[in-house]
Amino acid sequence: VNTRVHNIQHNVPPMPVASSSNETYCTFTLAPDATAGGLPSQEEISKDLESNDDKVKCFALKAAIMAMLSGESMPKVLMQVIRFCINTNDHKLKKLMMLYWEVVPKYEEPTSAELLADPGGKIKRKLLPEMILVCNALRNDLIHPNEYVRGSMLRFLCKVKDEEILGPLIPSIKQCLEHRHPYVRKNAALAIFHVHKLHGDNLLPDAPEVMEAFLLAETDVGARRNAFLMLFNQAEDLAIQYLASNIESVMGFGDGFSLLVLELTRRVCRKDANQKSRFVRVLFAMLTSESSAVSYEAAWTMISLSSSPTAIRAAANTYASLLNNPQSDNNVKMIVLERLDTLKKKHPKIVQEILMDILRALATPNIDVCKKVLTVAMDIVSSRNVQEVVTVLKREVNKTAAENNDATSSKEKGVEYRSILIQAIHSCATKFPDVAESVVHALMDFLGGGPETGSIQVILFVRAIVEQYPSLRESLLNKLIMNLEDVTSSGVMCVSLWILGEYCNESMLLKEAFEEITNQLGEAPYLLVTETADSGAKEESAPKKEVVTKNVVLSDGTYATQTAYSEQVSAAPMAVNKTSSLRKMIVGGDVFLGSVVANCLTKLCLKAENASEAKKMTIKTVLTMCGIVKMAELTPTAHRSSVADCKDRISVQCRALMDPKARKVLKDTIINKGSESFAEFLKSLNQESASKEDKEDTSTNVQADDMIHFRQLRANAAQGGDIDLDDGTDLQRATGGGDSSVSELKHVYQLSGFADPVYAEALVTVHDYDIVLEMLVINRTPNTLSNLTVELATMGDMKIVERPQSCTIGPLDQTNIRASIKVSSTETGHIFGTIVYEDGNTKGYINLNDIHMDIMDYIRPAFCTDDVFRSMWAEFEWENKVAISTTIEDLTVFLDHIVASTNMRCLTEQDRSHVNNFLAANLYARSVFGEDALVNVSVEKKSDGKLGGYIRIRSKTQGIALSLGDRITNVQRALPEKKSF
């Protein structure tokens, strides 16, 4: 038997009492083995219950339970169970009997005359006579000598709601409070809590006093916790009184008791803020608890209830210790970092004190935790701690280099981790120029290696520092010239040559840079055939091979002849390939790099035109450019457009070097315009980041005449409190967050018509991988509808996990039905179904409207670099091409509309100050299932003012490409209308 027990906790609302005698509420599920081949009839079940074999009885009793859960009444089975099963000692059968007592009808069915006399359905029902025997059996188990039989019966009573059944058992339940075994006592305390919560003073008027006396004498952790839970919910004053008298011993009462104390603290202080001083000692004591759950809750409670620096500092230190606790998993660390991120917005100076403790979490192997740590830390770096922060970041960068060199390392975080470290160092250097010199010199040692080592991020960082800090240019340029021979990546080499061409202005730097570049290039021509011209000589000098034949004995004793080749080892050492990486890339056919080299040498020659060696430099540059053009023409893999572009650029540069008139016109453009454009680019980036910070700092405006409660104002003044400490709706109104019910109404779907006998509507809530349907079903007929079932089915990658149970609804009554659906991909899905019910002897069916699941519920904006976007674009095979058809006439407005409607992020920066007739942008998003969605928008403004073009969508799966295409097709036509109030 598989059971799912409903545990009684302080935050679980009481279960609704059945509105009809036919409605069966259960808190368990059974394995379907009893229904294999169909359920037996009532007579067969009654006959099997008379068997002497306990296994046969178990099977029959399970079949009876399944039948009653399906809507069958089975009235004859009750007496058979009382006669043949009630005195059993078999544990499995006894457990099944408890489940049977839970679902069996306990009251007589009302007659038709009673129903007509009281159409509201509030008829006082009469208990079945057989229930007297059942109560006696339950009492026998409550006084059973075996403590586990007693304990299991007490747990079962926590699910019984009927006052007539619970009343005769109250003395036995109280007697269990004095049992010698703690298992019985703790379940007895829970049973008393349940009875008092449901029936109050009718059955247990002295329950709070009994629990108070029980608490004073109890020593077991679980029993004490359950007793305090009862006082916490039913007699708050007694709970506070007990806590005040035992405040010194609270830490020894267990984690469950401590969590109850914390919730009691929040509840009391929310009602009366003057009570905070009574709980300060216990809160500070719980901050140092060995339990992570208790210390976390204590820190959260401390921040919620107090804004004093002492309390905030103690809570922040607790968060830091939890963050660096070796027993904390990645989920715990992410939650703690979220709390610290919220805390720093209100108390940045206090969080600055634990900045180094936060950075210790960078030792975590998980890349997401490291990203969050740097996000939290970079906002609170100040001039006092920037040196320590930079030291930690440089040490982490060096660790990544050691991992790359160590073949046995795990390399879990890899290149992405080094990239975010370099970005963090860049941020520190931008804010605090004093540390820029030491940082950038250390990072320039990582220029060697391919793009996977993070060298491209390093050179981009160097480029920004060289532009922003003129005082550091000379030392950085000297360092770059020295490290140029170590660069092996084409992208890094291009940026390095651009930096040298733009910022080398001194005569010594010009000479050193020109010599280093030309030495690494070597002499023209730059063709692959020249590199293998001496292949014949190499073959002659290669060691000769000799054939050696010998006889060998095989494993079976036979003889065989073995022939092998042997090489004579040459006494001369092997020649080392001394070709520089720059020449290798040029000879390999990198046409774009050749254009960059020609541009760099041209700039150096134009800047050194007054030097003594200017003529030699010009001649050498022209010869080099001729070799690059020859290489571009003879390279078979080069595109025609790149070859033509290379020729055009180099021809212009040759004219600037050799024609005085052209030099006069082009010199200023070639030398100065590049650095000026880059300076404007950096300025725009700084302005954009500053505007983003201003947007984050702006608070929501609230109307002066909006009605709010003073309790919410007091909670806001606490600074750092959490929403769930107060009434969520009122707090949202107080902070200008809007009414949450408005957003919920958008996800309400009407399933049936108003004229149907049964009206149904569903509230759809999407929790990433799960969809929860909360259906409201209303009986609009004057008759009782029995065995009403909402039969659901899905289409797409969705699976129904929890199906709606059958129920009985009285005349003009209503009920709520819940269903859970599991989602496994982002493909468009549909939920459809039928309502089946019985009205007397007739069956009714109502077909429900389909629920269309929107792909926007699973799409989240994300970010990736241009290189990653291009690689995924080339890799993904599914593409959906959507033609643009819209009434919008502005390019940027259309792009913003597509971005907002698809919940994606635009990766392409747009210059909105210039008016163009063409726009191209890349959009990127990820689903909650880890699926990537790529969108390319190419739109132009035609001569008639209308927009035209295409939107291309690519993904790894077909579903997300089609769903996004349908979404764009539906929303692109026009902007949504603004509602006027």
Side-chain angles (χ1 to χ4, degrees):
V1 179
N2 298 328
T3 61
R4 183 178 70 240
V5 181
H6 181 90
N7 294 324
I8 303 296
Q9 296 181 352
H10 57 275
N11 58 351
V12 178
M15 293 179 288
V17 180
S19 61
S20 174
S21 59
N22 289 335
E23 183 176 347
T24 303
Y25 183 87
C26 69
T27 60
F28 61 88
T29 56
L30 291 176
D33 56 342
T35 62
L39 287 172
S41 64
Q42 184 175 196
E43 288 74 15
E44 292 174 343
I45 293 175
S46 301
K47 185 177 180 181
D48 289 341
L49 289 174
E50 298 178 9
S51 174
N52 294 325
D53 189 355
D54 289 336
K55 293 183 179 180
V56 176
K57 290 183 178 180
C58 289
F59 185 85
L61 192 56
K62 186 186 294 187
I65 296 172
M66 296 294 291
M68 285 187 286
L69 290 177
S70 301
E72 300 291 338
S73 58
M74 295 278 178
K76 298 180 181 179
V77 176
L78 176 58
M79 202 61 206
Q80 293 293 97
V81 173
I82 295 174
R83 289 176 58 194
F84 299 105
C85 302
I86 206 166
N87 294 321
T88 183
N89 291 322
D90 184 76
H91 293 289
K92 184 177 180 180
L93 184 57
K94 191 175 284 290
K95 178 64 178 177
L96 281 172
M97 286 180 58
M98 292 181 186
L99 303 180
Y100 177 76
W101 300 138
E102 184 177 352
V103 300
V104 69
K106 305 173 182 64
Y107 295 90
E108 296 179 356
E109 291 291 337
T111 63
S112 57
E114 292 175 339
L115 288 175
L116 292 174
D118 190 1
K122 299 180 180 179
I123 304 172
K124 187 175 181 180
R125 298 172 297 170
K126 298 179 181 179
L127 194 69
L128 289 173
E130 293 88 345
M131 286 295 112
I132 299 175
L133 300 175
V134 174
C135 289
N136 186 58
L138 300 180
R139 180 182 173 279
N140 291 336
D141 283 346
L142 286 177
I143 60 175
H144 198 280
N146 188 305
E147 57 270 15
Y148 294 103
V149 174
R150 284 196 182 196
S152 61
M153 179 51 62
L154 288 166
R155 291 185 64 85
F156 164 70
L157 293 179
C158 292
K159 297 185 287 183
V160 178
K161 309 178 186 65
D162 305 282
E163 184 176 355
E164 294 86 347
I165 296 177
L166 291 173
L169 304 178
I170 296 300
S172 300
I173 296 175
K174 288 185 177 180
Q175 184 180 355
C176 291
L177 290 173
E178 302 174 359
H179 195 272
R180 56 179 178 80
H181 202 281
Y183 178 73
V184 178
R185 298 199 301 271
K186 72 176 184 180
N187 285 302
L190 207 59
I192 289 180
F193 167 46
H194 171 76
V195 173
H196 192 268
K197 181 175 66 173
L198 288 180
H199 305 290
D201 296 338
N202 293 336
L203 295 181
L204 276 171
D206 59 340
E209 290 76 13
V210 172
M211 282 293 101
E212 183 183 19
F214 175 75
L215 260 178
L216 295 174
E218 184 55 51
T219 58
D220 179 69
V221 173
R224 185 190 291 116
R225 183 258 179 196
N226 290 346
F228 189 77
L229 174 64
M230 187 270 172
L231 293 181
F232 168 73
N233 285 280
Q234 304 299 318
E236 191 176 279
D237 294 338
L238 293 178
I240 297 174
Q241 182 180 347
Y242 175 80
L243 179 62
S245 59
N246 295 272
I247 197 168
E248 300 291 342
S249 308
V250 167
M251 296 304 297
F253 287 173
D255 298 343
F257 192 92
S258 300
L259 294 175
L260 283 178
V261 170
L262 290 172
E263 183 154 351
L264 176 65
T265 302
R266 291 193 290 267
R267 178 188 291 183
V268 172
C269 296
R270 185 169 58 237
K271 295 178 181 178
D272 185 6
N274 297 324
Q275 300 290 330
K276 291 181 182 180
S277 58
R278 302 179 61 180
F279 300 95
V280 170
R281 288 180 57 193
V282 69
L283 283 179
F284 274 98
M286 289 183 182
L287 287 175
T288 59
S289 173
E290 296 180 358
S291 171
S292 299
V294 174
S295 57
Y296 172 80
E297 291 286 339
W300 170 35
T301 305
M302 183 75 74
I303 294 172
S304 304
L305 300 180
S306 177
S307 59
S308 66
T310 304
I312 300 299
R313 187 174 290 108
N317 289 328
T318 301
Y319 283 147
S321 62
L322 286 174
L323 184 61
N324 296 296
N325 190 348
Q327 298 179 354
S328 300
D329 61 5
N330 295 331
N331 294 326
V332 173
K333 292 180 180 180
M334 290 296 290
I335 294 172
V336 172
L337 287 170
E338 288 289 346
R339 292 292 181 188
L340 288 171
D341 194 16
T342 305
L343 189 61
K344 76 176 181 182
K345 298 176 182 178
K346 299 295 183 180
H347 307 279
K349 294 184 178 180
I350 294 178
V351 181
Q352 280 181 1
E353 299 175 5
I354 61 169
L355 177 58
M356 301 310 297
D357 293 329
I358 296 175
L359 289 176
R360 284 170 53 197
L362 290 174
T364 305
N366 186 269
I367 182 64
D368 295 325
V369 175
C370 295
K371 285 182 180 178
K372 191 63 180 178
V373 168
L374 292 176
T375 302
V376 175
M378 288 303 102
D379 293 339
I380 52 177
V381 176
S382 63
S383 57
R384 293 182 297 176
N385 54 26
V386 64
Q387 292 288 352
E388 299 176 351
V389 172
V390 170
T391 302
V392 172
L393 296 178
K394 288 196 295 185
R395 184 172 67 245
E396 290 296 319
V397 172
N398 293 330
K399 284 183 182 179
T400 60
E403 289 180 358
N404 289 334
N405 297 329
D406 186 5
T408 61
S409 62
S410 61
K411 302 181 184 179
E412 287 188 46
K413 294 185 276 192
V415 184
E416 188 179 3
Y417 180 49
R418 181 185 290 188
S419 176
I420 60 176
L421 285 174
I422 294 172
Q423 292 175 6
I425 294 175
H426 189 184
S427 175
C428 293
T430 304
K431 294 179 180 178
F432 307 99
D434 297 339
V435 301
E437 184 175 4
S438 62
V439 170
V440 73
H441 279 286
L443 289 180
M444 289 181 70
D445 295 331
F446 298 98
L447 287 177
E452 68 277 359
T453 61
S455 56
I456 188 67
Q457 284 81 13
V458 174
I459 194 62
L460 294 178
F461 170 52
V462 173
R463 184 181 64 175
I465 295 298
V466 169
E467 169 60 34
Q468 293 173 331
Y469 303 105
S471 60
L472 303 178
R473 286 180 184 173
E474 185 176 358
S475 60
L476 293 179
L477 291 173
N478 285 321
K479 180 78 172 178
L480 182 59
I481 293 172
M482 292 174 58
N483 292 345
L484 195 63
E485 61 181 357
D486 299 329
V487 177
T488 58
S489 171
S490 176
V492 177
M493 182 64 75
C494 289
V495 180
S496 302
L497 293 175
W498 185 88
I499 294 173
L500 294 176
E502 288 290 338
Y503 299 104
C504 286
N505 298 320
E506 302 294 332
S507 58
M508 290 298 298
L509 283 175
L510 288 171
K511 182 179 179 181
E512 292 177 3
F514 188 87
E515 291 179 353
E516 182 66 23
I517 295 172
T518 53
N519 289 338
Q520 291 196 32
L521 273 174
E523 298 294 335
Y526 307 110
L527 300 176
L528 190 60
V529 65
T530 61
E531 303 296 323
T532 60
D534 299 331
S535 59
K538 293 181 180 179
E539 291 178 359
E540 294 178 1
S541 61
K544 297 181 179 180
K545 298 179 180 179
E546 294 184 357
V547 179
V548 179
T549 303
K550 60 181 178 179
N551 296 326
V552 294
V553 181
L554 300 178
S555 58
D556 58 353
T558 59
Y559 291 91
T561 302
Q562 184 183 60
T563 303
Y565 288 93
S566 66
E567 288 186 356
Q568 295 179 355
V569 181
S570 177
M574 296 181 63
V576 180
N577 188 2
K578 296 183 179 180
T579 306
S580 66
S581 58
L582 177 58
R583 184 177 179 85
K584 288 180 182 178
M585 288 184 281
I586 296 294
V587 170
D590 195 335
V591 179
F592 180 74
L593 178 60
S595 301
V596 175
V597 170
N599 189 25
C600 176
L601 294 178
T602 301
K603 291 178 182 178
L604 295 178
C605 291
L606 291 176
K607 291 180 179 180
E609 62 179 353
N610 297 325
S612 58
E613 299 180 354
K615 190 173 183 179
K616 293 181 180 180
M617 293 173 62
T618 303
I619 295 172
K620 199 165 188 177
T621 299
V622 172
L623 291 175
T624 300
M625 290 191 289
C626 292
I628 291 172
V629 172
K630 190 68 174 177
M631 177 271 298
E633 290 178 344
L634 298 179
T635 300
T637 59
H639 295 285
R640 292 183 179 180
S641 59
S642 61
V643 175
D645 180 74
C646 178
K647 289 181 179 180
D648 293 342
R649 287 177 178 271
I650 290 180
S651 63
V652 171
Q653 291 158 0
C654 288
R655 291 185 60 188
L657 291 176
M658 302 177 66
D659 186 356
K661 293 182 179 180
R663 178 182 302 181
K664 185 177 180 181
V665 175
L666 299 175
K667 181 178 178 180
D668 181 65
T669 302
I670 294 175
I671 294 178
N672 299 324
K673 293 300 181 182
S675 57
E676 291 177 1
S677 300
F678 182 60
E680 290 293 330
F681 171 72
L682 292 179
K683 184 178 179 181
S684 64
L685 288 182
N686 294 333
Q687 291 177 351
E688 184 179 353
S689 61
S691 63
K692 287 182 179 179
E693 292 178 359
D694 293 340
K695 288 180 181 179
E696 293 177 357
D697 293 339
T698 55
S699 57
T700 307
N701 294 325
V702 185
Q703 296 297 328
D705 56 350
D706 282 352
M707 184 180 66
I708 54 178
H709 297 285
F710 289 104
R711 176 166 59 86
Q712 271 74 22
L713 289 176
R714 185 167 65 246
N716 268 347
Q719 297 182 0
D722 293 272
I723 298 178
D724 54 354
L725 289 180
D726 301 288
D727 186 1
T729 305
D730 289 339
L731 184 58
Q732 280 190 336
R733 292 180 59 193
T735 55
D739 193 355
S740 60
S741 61
V742 176
S743 61
E744 288 183 358
L745 289 176
K746 296 180 181 179
H747 300 281
V748 175
Y749 297 85
Q750 182 178 342
L751 301 180
S752 63
F754 293 109
D756 291 325
V758 177
Y759 174 77
E761 63 181 21
L763 171 63
V764 180
T765 307
V766 179
H767 301 289
D768 291 346
Y769 297 91
D770 300 313
I771 298 176
V772 179
L773 297 181
E774 297 180 7
M775 292 172 283
L776 172 65
V777 180
I778 302 176
N779 179 10
R780 302 189 49 139
T781 66
N783 306 322
T784 299
L785 303 182
S786 60
N787 295 332
L788 187 143
T789 306
V790 181
E791 298 179 352
L792 296 177
T794 60
M795 185 174 63
D797 287 342
M798 296 190 297
K799 180 182 179 182
I800 299 178
V801 179
E802 181 183 355
R803 293 187 177 274
Q805 293 186 356
S806 302
C807 62
T808 299
I809 308 180
L812 304 177
D813 200 358
Q814 67 182 35
T815 186
N816 291 317
I817 300 176
R818 184 186 179 96
S820 298
I821 299 175
K822 193 78 171 179
V823 185
S824 57
S825 74
T826 323
E827 294 187 10
T828 301
H830 295 268
I831 304 172
F832 54 94
T834 306
I835 293 179
V836 182
Y837 60 90
E838 294 180 3
D839 186 359
N841 296 326
T842 61
K843 270 197 172 186
Y845 303 90
I846 299 175
N847 293 323
L848 303 179
N849 297 327
D850 292 357
I851 299 176
H852 175 77
M853 299 310 301
D854 193 354
I855 189 177
M856 293 300 103
D857 292 328
Y858 311 111
I859 293 293
R860 302 288 185 271
F863 175 80
C864 69
T865 61
D866 292 339
D867 295 336
V868 175
F869 186 92
R870 283 193 291 267
S871 63
M872 289 191 295
W873 186 268
E875 176 187 355
F876 292 169
E877 56 184 359
W878 291 103
E879 178 173 320
N880 190 4
K881 192 173 183 180
V882 179
I884 294 177
S885 175
T886 179
T887 58
I888 304 174
E889 298 181 354
D890 187 87
L891 295 173
T892 55
V893 172
F894 177 76
L895 177 62
D896 294 340
H897 174 57
I898 295 297
V899 170
S901 302
T902 57
N903 201 20
M904 305 188 80
R905 172 174 291 179
C906 183
L907 303 179
T908 307
E909 295 291 338
Q910 302 293 331
D911 188 1
R912 300 176 183 268
S913 59
H914 300 284
V915 179
N916 299 318
N917 293 328
F918 179 79
L919 184 147
N922 293 331
L923 313 182
Y924 177 62
R926 295 196 73 185
S927 70
V928 296
F929 311 102
E931 300 167 325
D932 298 294
L934 311 179
V935 174
N936 175 260
V937 181
S938 298
V939 56
E940 64 174 345
K941 194 167 187 178
K942 299 179 181 179
S943 57
D944 57 357
K946 295 183 179 180
L947 302 184
Y950 292 94
I951 300 176
R952 299 166 64 192
I953 306 146
R954 286 197 182 184
S955 65
K956 190 174 290 185
T957 59
Q958 181 184 16
I960 192 171
L962 295 177
S963 301
L964 262 181
D966 295 340
R967 173 71 178 179
I968 292 175
T969 303
N970 293 332
V971 303
Q972 70 165 333
R973 301 188 183 278
L975 292 173
E977 297 181 0
K978 295 183 179 180
K979 297 181 180 181
S980 58
F981 297 94

